[in-house]
Amino acid sequence: MNKSVLMSIQPKWCELIASGKKTIEVRKTMPKLETPFKCYIYETFKKESNSLKWVYGEWRPVVGRKGRGKVIGEFVCDNIETLRYRCDGYGDEWHEWNDEYVDFENMCLSEGELEDYLGTSNGYGLHISDLRIYDKPRELGEFRRECKQYGAENPLCDDCRYFDCCRGVDYDESDCVVDGLMPLTCAPQSWCYVEELKD
C-alpha cells in the first residue's frame, strides 16, 4: 500500500487552504510518514440550526448544512515543523510560542487560537505544497484504508473496532475487504492513512 493521509478539515479552513492563504495545517499529532507524502482534504459537514421558522403554530429550527462532506482536493506535505510551547515552569508568569517554529500568518491563526487548540502542548505544522483543488469533489467511498482484521484466521467483523464505521448506508459485505483494504464510509475525526488514489 502506498500510504497517504486523509485529513478532516472544517469548511472555514478549507476555504483558506483553497485560496492559498493557509499554507500550514496545524495538528496535535502527526502522521508517521516520511516527507514528502500526499494529503487528501476532506471538508467536514454538520447540520446546523441557526434560525427558526413558524410551522403549524410553533417555532421550529431550520436545519441547514455547513460543508460538503466530500474530499475537495489534495496537497503534498513536504515538511513538518514541531510547534514548541515554552514556559518558565512557575505558572502563568511567562509563556510563549517559539517564533522560530511558529508562523501565525501562514497558519491563519492568532496566538490565542493556537493556544486554545493545543493548550500548552507542542503541536505540528504540516506544510502545504503542490495544492490541487478538484473540479468535482470525490466521495469518501473512493478511498480505502488497511483493514485490521484482514488475514486473521477467523476474521469476525463483529469484533472489528471499525464495525459501526464500515456499516454505511450503501454497505455491501462483498465490498468489505479487497486485498486487505476497506472503503471509507465515515470521515476520520482528525486524519487516517489511506491508499493513494490513481489519477
Side-chain angles (χ1 to χ4, degrees):
M1 177 169 145
N2 192 3
K3 282 190 179 177
S4 297
V5 172
L6 186 141
M7 309 187 90
S8 290
I9 301 178
Q10 294 176 19
K12 65 178 181 178
W13 305 123
C14 286
E15 287 177 26
L16 289 167
I17 290 171
S19 71
K21 292 178 182 173
K22 183 174 174 64
T23 59
I24 299 175
E25 174 63 14
V26 177
R27 293 286 151 150
K28 293 178 180 178
T29 60
M30 69 174 189
K32 291 180 171 58
L33 294 175
E34 287 189 27
T35 56
F37 58 87
K38 186 174 284 189
C39 294
Y40 295 99
I41 304 166
Y42 172 79
E43 184 179 78
T44 61
F45 84 93
K46 64 178 178 177
K47 291 181 179 177
E48 290 191 328
S49 174
N50 53 11
S51 62
L52 297 174
K53 182 179 181 181
W54 186 257
V55 180
Y56 300 114
E58 65 180 356
W59 289 103
R60 293 187 184 175
V62 176
V63 177
R65 181 175 157 154
K66 188 171 184 179
R68 288 176 266 195
K70 294 182 188 266
V71 179
I72 64 159
E74 63 187 60
F75 65 87
V76 173
C77 175
D78 59 359
N79 189 29
I80 300 176
E81 295 284 354
T82 300
L83 310 175
R84 302 193 186 283
Y85 190 82
R86 304 183 301 180
C87 66
D88 63 0
Y90 298 102
D92 293 331
E93 292 179 23
W94 174 81
H95 61 273
E96 66 179 7
W97 291 98
N98 188 337
D99 290 337
E100 181 182 349
Y101 301 103
V102 181
D103 183 346
F104 293 106
E105 183 178 346
N106 286 313
M107 291 186 297
C108 294
L109 292 170
S110 68
E111 187 171 349
E113 288 171 322
L114 185 63
E115 196 166 317
D116 285 346
Y117 177 60
L118 294 176
T120 56
S121 301
N122 291 341
Y124 302 94
L126 284 71
H127 287 241
I128 297 169
S129 65
D130 299 330
L131 176 66
R132 178 180 161 209
I133 301 299
Y134 303 144
D135 293 331
K136 181 181 177 186
R138 303 181 87 149
E139 301 292 337
L140 270 178
E142 296 179 55
F143 295 84
R144 295 187 173 273
R145 70 172 174 210
E146 185 178 349
C147 177
K148 303 295 183 187
Q149 295 293 323
Y150 183 72
E153 286 183 26
N154 297 304
L156 298 173
C157 286
D158 292 347
D159 295 331
C160 178
R161 67 185 182 133
Y162 298 112
F163 181 82
D164 293 333
C165 188
C166 73
R167 296 302 188 271
V169 175
D170 298 325
Y171 172 75
D172 178 351
E173 192 168 323
S174 65
D175 293 333
C176 182
V177 175
V178 177
D179 295 330
L181 301 172
M182 61 186 245
L184 288 181
T185 56
C186 62
Q189 291 298 308
S190 180
W191 56 267
C192 71
Y193 297 113
V194 294
E195 181 183 31
E196 187 171 333
L197 288 185
K198 307 287 188 285
D199 283 330

